[in-house]
């Protein structure tokens, strides 16, 4: 009996099935072992989640108690302090409540007799609690201690400590572990049934294949299958087929070979177009992504390191807007050459650079000590791109912001690495541009918080979370209240008061500032229309306008419509614009401001003195007033330079017929100096803090 093809296939099938049994047994053993690891990971995750939840609860509860207890502690109202402390002490898991003064002595502990009253705190957490200037969380094996200092203004008058028992955390962890083990056991039983069914199916399939196999089909079909796999992965040189057969299967083989050769030609043409950037000659985003995937697979096996550098040209839009897109293309081509030369010089073997699109480039370098190498490369690229570029007979000065992410420290996959690099590059932009930043997890958290804040900010006006406060503006000559600046405030339902410096930036970046600006302008004009004084002119209202609103081009129309709807006299509306927003594009800004002034409204430059342009630009920009930045006013009594600069601004503005407003007047000495220097108007906490509409109307009526 000849040991034929079917017998060989049967032997191979038996070996395959035996090997499959061994592999499945090994996999099952590994599966059992991984269940134990998963249970351990689950316990740790539950513990971390429980502890984090308890920490957040402690932070929220201590913040609420500290806010409620601030005034009673300041006035030493022990009854109120006791009531508030006992209400918190009744909360689940709260082991103790301690209210202490600025020297660390016990003021109240929630009990009726306060046995430790007036005694200094001497427990293990006492030193950290007394020194805390902000929320402080301390731990022991049984207790979590949360300290929240209490301030009145800038004065720290004491603090409050909450102790939480960690026994419940242990109970939660035990229950979760039991449930996890029960679920894993059920899954394991189901998987065992599936493995048995899989073995049965494999055996049946093997028998069916054995019946259908014939000596004349196995080899050529296998050759065709191998050739098809080679074509699929683009390895056309591996297609080796015997075309000498004269039957129908030979016709199929020859047709397949002709098809593979045709596909090879077309694939080369398509790859040349799809994987290259026609402007710079660099690989494009698609080609770089495939290269990155290949490099990561290699590094995961060898344990090497990799660095990605994301690069974005700073202020590139200015080139397109001023010189045209052809000039912009020339700049990008020259930048690509400079970047490639830096990467080739510093990046070493295996370094690659690609254009990701627009004015974004990305570089990949391999080796050891990637942080140091990436830093040198980023410094070299930034320095090189700072050099002027000659385009259309003009020298163009630009820069670059670079974000750096490292494998395997920051991420193990290509998608996360690309995301992290983009986040780091954005942080370099935020840091002032023309610099580089390494990715950190804190950056990712900051981006997530920013995205969440943007989502919360959408619709906040309609939900009534946003409101206007008004800071009064006084005339220095006679101390009269002549107007007020409208300031936007956000009372978040979960996070409380969010500082304008935080959410205004989010609104600017997301484009929400345009809609919010319209709401603020309309509400401020409506409120100002209700302001009345017994004598003199009706007070004005000043409204801040963002650079994005100014660039929109329709600001004069929006202001005119708002004045018409509210009935407010145009001269009572003052539009405030930052110096950099106005002087960044003098031609367009001057035209818009002229149209605004034609309506009768006043134009003020806010934060004057912090820009880069200088006083001479005031002659070319149509403005009615300037607001001296608070950073100069703060030091007029101590710094002769600030006093001299402030005096020069006042004198120069008056010579041009421009009103001068001083911001940030915090004491009587500053007020007196400004009045002596003939400053026209002033505002600041010493004169009046931002207040609600009703309080301002009472001030005006008084």
């Amino acid at each position: 009996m000849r040991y034929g093809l079917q017998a060989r296939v049967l032997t191979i099938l038996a070996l395959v099935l035996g090997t499959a049994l061994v592999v499945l047994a090994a996999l099952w053993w590994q599966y059992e072992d991984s269940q134990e690891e998963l249970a351990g990971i689950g316990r740790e995750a539950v513990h971390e989640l429980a502890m984090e939840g308890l920490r957040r609860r402690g932070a929220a509860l201590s913040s609420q108690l500290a806010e409620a207890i601030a005034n009673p502690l300041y006035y030493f109202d022990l009854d109120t302090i006791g009531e508030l402390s006992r209400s918190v002490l009744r909360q689940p898991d709260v082991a103790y409540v301690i209210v202490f003064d600025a020297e660390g002595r016990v003021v109240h502990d929630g009990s009726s007799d306060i046995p430790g009253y007036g005694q200094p705190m001497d427990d293990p957490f006492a030193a950290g609690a007394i020194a805390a200037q902000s929320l402080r969380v301390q731990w022991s094996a049984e207790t979590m201690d949360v300290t929240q200092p209490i301030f009145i203004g800038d004065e720290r008058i004491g603090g409050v400590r909450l102790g939480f028992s960690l026994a419940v955390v242990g109970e939660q962890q035990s229950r979760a572990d039991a449930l996890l083990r029960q679920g894993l056991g059920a899954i394991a039983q189901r998987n065992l049934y599936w493995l048995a069914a899989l073995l049965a199916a494999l055996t049946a399939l093997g028998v069916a294949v054995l019946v259908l196999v014939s000596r004349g089909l196995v080899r050529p079909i296998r050759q065709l299958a191998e050739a098809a796999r080679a074509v699929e992965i683009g390895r056309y040189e591996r297609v080796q087929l015997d075309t000498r057969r004269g039957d129908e299967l030979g016709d199929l083989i020859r047709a397949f070979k002709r098809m593979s050769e045709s596909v090879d030609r077309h694939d080369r043409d398509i790859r040349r177009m799809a994987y290259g950037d026609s402007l710079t000659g660099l690989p494009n985003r698609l080609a770089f992504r495939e290269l990155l995937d290949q490099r990561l697979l290699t590094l995961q096996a060898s344990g090497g390191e990799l660095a990605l550098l994301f690069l974005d040209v700073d202020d590139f839009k200015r080139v397109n807007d001023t010189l045209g897109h052809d000039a912009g293309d020339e700049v990008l081509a020259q930048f690509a050459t400079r970047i490639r030369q830096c990467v080739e010089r510093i990046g070493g073997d295996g370094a690659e650079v690609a254009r990701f699109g627009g004015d974004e480039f990305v570089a990949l370098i391999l080796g050891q000590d990637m942080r140091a190498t990436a830093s040198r490369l980023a410094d070299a690229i930034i320095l090189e791109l700072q050099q002027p570029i000659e385009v259309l007979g003009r020298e163009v000065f630009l820069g670059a912001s670079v974000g750096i992410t490292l494998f395997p420290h920051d991420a193990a996959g290509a998608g996360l690495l690309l995301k992290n690099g983009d986040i780091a590059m954005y942080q370099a932009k935020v840091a002032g541009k023309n610099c580089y930043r390494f990715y950190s997890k804190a950056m990712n958290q900051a981006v997530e918080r920013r995205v969440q804040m943007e989502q919360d900010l959408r619709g906040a006006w309609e939900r009534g979370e946003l409101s206007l406060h008004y800071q009064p503006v006084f005339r220095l000559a006679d101390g009269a209240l002549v107007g007020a600046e409208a300031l936007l405030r956000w009372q978040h339902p979960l996070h409380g008061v969010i500082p304008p410096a935080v959410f205004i930036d989010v609104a600017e970046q997301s484009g929400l500032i345009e809609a919010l600006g319209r709401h603020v302008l309309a509400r401020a004009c409506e409120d100002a229309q209700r302001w009345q004084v017994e004598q003199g002119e009706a007070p004005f209202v000043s409204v801040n306008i963002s650079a994005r609103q100014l660039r929109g081009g329709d600001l004069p129309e929006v202001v005119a419509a708002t004045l018409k709807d509210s009935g407010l006299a145009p001269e009572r509306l003052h539009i405030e614009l930052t110096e950099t927003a106005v002087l960044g594009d003098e031609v367009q800004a001057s035209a818009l401001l002229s149209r605004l002034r034609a309506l009768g409204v006043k134009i003020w430059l806010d934060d004057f003195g912090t820009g880069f342009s200088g006083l001479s630009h005031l002659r070319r920009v149509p403005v009615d007033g300037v607001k001296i930045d608070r950073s100069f006013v703060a030091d007029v009594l101590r710094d002769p330079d600030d006093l001299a600069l402030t005096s020069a601004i006042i004198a120069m503005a008056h010579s041009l017929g421009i009103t001068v407003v001083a911001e940030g007047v915090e004491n009587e000495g500053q007020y007196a100096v400004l009045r002596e220097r003939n400053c026209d108007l002033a505002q600041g906490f010493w004169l009046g803090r931002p207040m609600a509409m009703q309080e301002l109307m009472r001030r005006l009526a008084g």
Side-chain angles (χ1 to χ4, degrees):
M1 243 179 117
R2 188 174 62 177
Y3 187 60
L5 181 60
Q6 288 185 340
R8 295 174 187 174
V9 172
L10 181 60
T11 302
I12 294 173
L13 183 60
L15 291 173
V16 169
L17 290 175
T19 304
L21 281 172
V22 174
V23 171
L24 289 175
L27 288 175
W28 182 256
W29 176 82
Q30 181 65 29
Y31 175 76
E32 292 285 346
D33 187 57
S34 66
Q35 281 190 318
E36 288 299 322
E37 294 182 4
L38 183 59
I41 294 172
R43 285 194 299 272
E44 293 179 4
V46 169
H47 179 75
E48 290 294 329
L49 288 174
M51 295 299 284
E52 179 62 16
L54 188 59
R55 189 195 69 77
R56 290 182 179 177
R57 180 166 171 260
L61 197 56
S62 64
S63 297
Q64 293 173 0
L65 180 57
E67 181 178 357
I69 216 167
N71 285 333
L73 181 59
Y74 183 80
Y75 294 105
F76 221 73
D77 185 357
L78 289 180
D79 291 337
T80 303
I81 294 173
E83 291 177 6
L84 293 172
S85 300
R86 283 189 289 275
S87 67
V88 174
L89 195 57
R90 289 191 290 270
Q91 295 284 332
D93 306 330
V94 177
Y96 58 80
V97 176
I98 300 175
V99 180
F100 58 93
D101 60 17
E103 287 71 36
R105 296 189 297 268
V106 175
V107 175
H108 216 295
D109 59 5
S111 64
S112 58
D113 51 356
I114 321 176
Y117 176 80
Q119 300 297 319
M121 299 184 294
D122 59 355
D123 57 276
F125 300 140
I130 294 171
Q133 293 298 315
S134 60
L135 180 69
R136 184 183 182 96
V137 181
Q138 304 178 83
W139 307 86
S140 70
E142 298 81 22
T143 306
M144 179 186 76
D145 183 272
V146 181
T147 301
Q148 179 69 48
I150 300 175
F151 291 88
I152 294 296
D154 293 331
E155 180 184 1
R156 184 176 182 269
I157 64 171
V160 60
R161 292 175 55 194
L162 304 183
F164 293 84
S165 173
L166 301 183
V168 174
V169 174
E171 294 174 3
Q172 292 176 347
Q173 183 175 347
S174 299
R175 288 197 300 270
D177 185 52
L179 290 173
L180 179 60
R181 288 185 177 276
Q182 182 180 356
L184 290 175
I187 294 172
Q189 187 174 7
R190 289 197 302 271
N191 288 342
L192 187 59
Y193 292 149
W194 279 109
L195 286 176
L198 179 61
L199 280 174
L202 286 174
T203 304
L205 180 62
V207 173
V209 170
L210 182 63
V211 173
L212 296 175
V213 168
S214 66
R215 185 174 183 178
L217 293 176
V218 171
R219 185 175 300 168
I221 290 176
R222 182 177 298 162
Q223 290 177 345
L224 283 174
E226 292 175 354
R229 285 193 293 270
V231 171
E232 181 181 5
I233 63 176
R235 303 300 298 270
Y236 302 102
E237 71 278 2
R238 293 185 180 180
V239 178
Q240 303 293 333
L241 296 173
D242 185 4
T243 58
R244 294 174 297 177
R245 291 185 60 142
D247 55 10
E248 290 82 357
L249 192 57
D251 294 338
L252 177 61
I253 292 173
R254 286 186 289 274
F256 186 89
K257 186 173 181 61
R258 290 193 299 270
M259 181 192 70
S260 66
E261 292 171 349
S262 177
V263 170
D264 184 19
R265 289 193 301 272
H266 289 296
D267 184 69
R268 287 195 298 269
D269 295 337
I270 292 173
R271 281 182 173 272
R272 188 166 52 252
M273 293 184 292
Y275 286 81
D277 180 60
S278 58
L279 176 63
T280 63
L282 296 175
N284 62 10
R285 179 191 294 264
L286 180 61
F288 185 83
R289 179 57 187 266
E290 289 190 4
L291 174 66
L292 178 59
D293 289 334
Q294 295 172 5
R295 294 291 172 82
L296 290 179
L297 286 175
T298 303
L299 291 177
Q300 286 167 356
S302 63
E305 296 182 2
L306 174 148
L308 284 184
L309 286 79
F310 267 72
L311 184 150
D312 185 85
V313 180
D314 294 333
D315 301 320
F316 176 72
K317 184 176 183 296
R318 179 161 49 88
V319 177
N320 283 336
D321 292 344
T322 57
L323 301 180
H325 289 276
D326 290 341
D329 289 345
E330 176 61 25
V331 169
L332 288 176
Q334 293 191 38
F335 267 18
T337 301
R338 295 184 181 186
I339 295 169
R340 183 174 61 245
Q341 291 172 349
C342 290
V343 172
E344 291 174 351
R345 186 175 70 253
I346 299 174
D349 295 337
E352 297 287 346
V353 62
R355 182 189 179 197
F356 246 42
D359 57 351
E360 291 185 352
F361 298 85
V362 62
L364 177 155
I365 56 176
L366 306 169
Q368 301 298 324
D369 193 14
M370 282 290 91
R371 180 173 288 271
T373 305
S375 297
R376 290 197 305 272
L377 178 56
D379 282 328
I381 291 175
I382 291 172
L383 182 62
E384 181 64 31
L385 298 190
Q386 286 177 340
Q387 304 305 313
I389 294 178
E390 185 172 344
V391 180
L392 301 179
R394 296 177 58 179
E395 283 192 338
V396 176
F397 292 86
L398 296 172
S401 299
V402 182
I404 306 172
T405 183
L406 305 176
F407 168 88
H409 310 288
D410 297 335
L416 275 179
L417 281 173
L418 294 172
K419 175 186 174 184
N420 294 345
D422 195 45
I423 290 173
M425 183 266 290
Y426 173 77
Q427 292 301 318
K429 291 278 190 186
V430 173
K433 301 180 181 180
N434 208 33
C435 62
Y436 69 88
R437 289 291 183 271
F438 280 91
Y439 169 80
S440 67
K441 291 183 179 179
M443 290 181 180
N444 200 38
Q445 294 169 357
V447 171
E448 291 176 358
R449 287 195 300 269
R450 190 180 186 90
V451 170
Q452 183 61 51
M453 182 173 293
E454 179 183 336
Q455 294 175 353
D456 293 344
L457 191 56
R458 295 183 185 276
W461 182 275
E462 290 75 11
R463 294 191 298 269
E465 298 171 12
L466 293 169
S467 62
L468 290 186
H469 281 53
Y470 295 93
Q471 184 171 30
V473 179
F474 293 86
R475 187 166 51 224
L476 288 172
D478 56 6
L481 197 165
V482 296
E485 179 181 0
L487 301 171
L488 189 59
R489 295 291 183 263
W490 186 9
Q491 180 70 36
H492 194 282
L494 296 179
H495 307 302
V497 177
I498 297 179
V502 176
F503 73 83
I504 291 297
D505 181 60
V506 173
E508 284 274 7
Q509 296 295 329
S510 63
L512 293 173
I513 193 65
E514 296 187 31
L516 288 178
R518 291 172 184 262
H519 289 309
V520 169
L521 181 64
R523 178 66 57 82
C525 290
E526 292 171 3
D527 289 348
Q529 181 63 15
R530 298 165 55 192
W531 298 347
Q532 300 294 332
V533 292
E534 294 183 1
Q535 296 179 350
E537 297 181 358
F540 64 81
V541 62
S542 62
V543 180
N544 291 281
I545 298 297
S546 72
R548 190 167 188 138
Q549 290 175 271
L550 185 65
R551 289 196 300 267
D554 62 345
L555 184 59
E557 290 77 11
V558 172
V559 171
T562 303
L563 291 173
K564 180 180 179 182
D565 293 340
S566 65
L568 184 70
E571 64 272 11
R572 294 182 58 197
L573 175 61
H574 294 186
I575 297 296
E576 292 192 20
L577 299 147
T578 63
E579 180 187 1
T580 53
V582 173
L583 302 180
D585 188 348
E586 285 188 16
V587 176
Q588 180 183 5
S590 296
L592 283 174
L593 298 185
S594 297
R595 291 167 59 193
L596 284 170
R597 295 184 76 199
L599 297 174
V601 302
K602 305 293 185 183
I603 305 298
W604 284 1
L605 283 186
D606 196 10
D607 300 332
F608 189 79
T610 60
F612 54 82
S613 51
L615 292 168
S616 61
H617 288 261
L618 290 177
R619 295 183 293 105
R620 300 194 295 271
V621 178
V623 297
D624 301 284
V626 294
K627 300 184 74 173
I628 302 176
D629 187 71
R630 64 182 65 247
S631 61
F632 298 107
V633 176
D635 291 328
V636 292
L637 298 177
R638 300 188 302 269
D639 192 334
D641 292 337
D642 281 355
L643 178 60
L645 182 57
T646 301
S647 302
I649 292 175
I650 295 172
M652 175 67 78
H654 283 171
S655 69
L656 297 173
I658 294 175
T659 302
V660 181
V661 186
E663 294 185 291
V665 177
E666 307 297 339
N667 56 60
E668 186 176 1
Q670 295 170 350
Y671 182 89
V673 168
L674 291 168
R675 182 175 180 178
E676 180 184 342
R677 294 300 190 279
N678 295 322
C679 184
D680 301 299
L681 307 174
Q683 64 185 95
F685 283 1
W686 186 74
L687 295 168
R689 291 177 176 271
M691 59 191 69
M693 167 71 171
Q694 293 75 13
E695 184 176 352
L696 178 65
M697 292 183 69
R698 285 195 296 269
R699 292 283 296 270
L700 291 169

